[in-house]
Amino acid sequence: FKQHGKEDVRVRDVLAHRAGVPALDRPLTPAEAADPDTGAAAVAAQAPAWEPGTDHGYHAQTYSWLTGELVRRVTGRTVGAWIAEHIAAPVGADLWVGLPDAEAHRAGLVGPVEPPAAPGGLRTRPKRNVADAYTDPDSLTRRAFGAIHPAPDENDPAYRAAELPASNGVATAEGLSRFYASLIGEVDGGVRLFTPDTMEEARTEASSGADRVLVVPTRFGLGYMLHGVASPLLGPGSFGHPGRGGALGFADPESGIAFGYVTNGQQKGVTADPRAQALVRAVRSSLAG
């Protein structure tokens, strides 16, 4: 990995989307993407789009191979196997990265996730949002979301079984909320995944400002998106992540709320699905009342 100016990339740069490799010069096929060796080699060979550590941009697909290889090098396990054993099982969460065959019958079919829509077609002026930027085939936005090409069929059993933590996590809403609950407190009478210090590290701002991929201002801690204009969560101390197509999960330590929303009614958009946001507003209103 230490080539083309990536010699000083730190783990926290990867987690905060500051590693500088959100896109690949040669996209991977779905079969190549599912092979952890091929994915790791691709990001290792990639020259960064900016000097790592100096700016941030959402690593929409390459985050899979960056984080997956970190887990594999440290633990000797694949990322999906490690999550199943050390996260999902202890908290009793229906949550997988790499859906097992035995659970495949439970997963609903999802509608096609179309590219983000851009009003008015192609623009020549500076891009104002991710949908606008996506219309430019040479943009970093388009290339980041297109690091796997052709776009995989999200109902394909082989794709669902692949261990790609950036794009193919499968969970129930209850499983997602149980996971987030375990980061801020105990579940089932004693299981907590984050110490208070780790929780604070996760939600401390590490990246902020104009996102080179998502275009709009974003905020990231270490591995989590933080409350902001691009993805409103419950409050300033919340940390979590939206999912392309509409899903949303987060934890809010101040209120003790853990939130999970999933849908197979996939809609255009990346960060702030109106259905999820309506539920967030309802939770916020109930707490205020």
Side-chain angles (χ1 to χ4, degrees), residues 160-182:
R160 290 184 171 186
E163 298 179 23
L164 297 168
S167 61
N168 77 338
V170 177
T172 63
E174 195 265 352
L176 194 59
S177 63
R178 285 180 70 85
F179 161 70
Y180 277 105
S182 72

Side-chain angles (χ1 to χ4, degrees), residues 23-24 28 33 63 65 77 93 123 134 138 145 161 180 187 189 212 230 237-238 240 245 251 261 268:
L24 300 176
L28 303 183
Y63 207 75
W65 308 304
R77 307 287 302 281
R123 299 174 183 270
Y134 199 93
D138 295 323
F145 282 96
Y180 277 105
V187 296
R212 290 206 180 200
S238 303
Y261 170 75
K268 299 175 183 178

Side-chain angles (χ1 to χ4, degrees), residues 82-115:
W82 197 91
I83 288 171
E85 180 179 349
H86 295 282
I87 294 177
V91 303
D94 280 342
L95 183 154
W96 299 271
V97 175
L99 187 65
D101 289 343
E103 302 290 343
H105 69 284
R106 299 178 58 203
L109 298 178
V110 300
V113 182
E114 300 179 31

Side-chain angles (χ1 to χ4, degrees), residues 49-108:
W50 64 83
E51 182 181 347
T54 64
D55 207 347
H56 80 288
Y58 184 50
H59 287 50
Q61 297 284 9
T62 58
Y63 207 75
S64 284
W65 308 304
L66 289 164
T67 57
E69 188 66 4
L70 281 171
V71 170
R72 193 163 63 144
R73 294 292 182 103
V74 172
T75 71
R77 307 287 302 281
T78 63
V79 62
W82 197 91
I83 288 171
E85 180 179 349
H86 295 282
I87 294 177
V91 303
D94 280 342
L95 183 154
W96 299 271
V97 175
L99 187 65
D101 289 343
E103 302 290 343
H105 69 284
R106 299 178 58 203

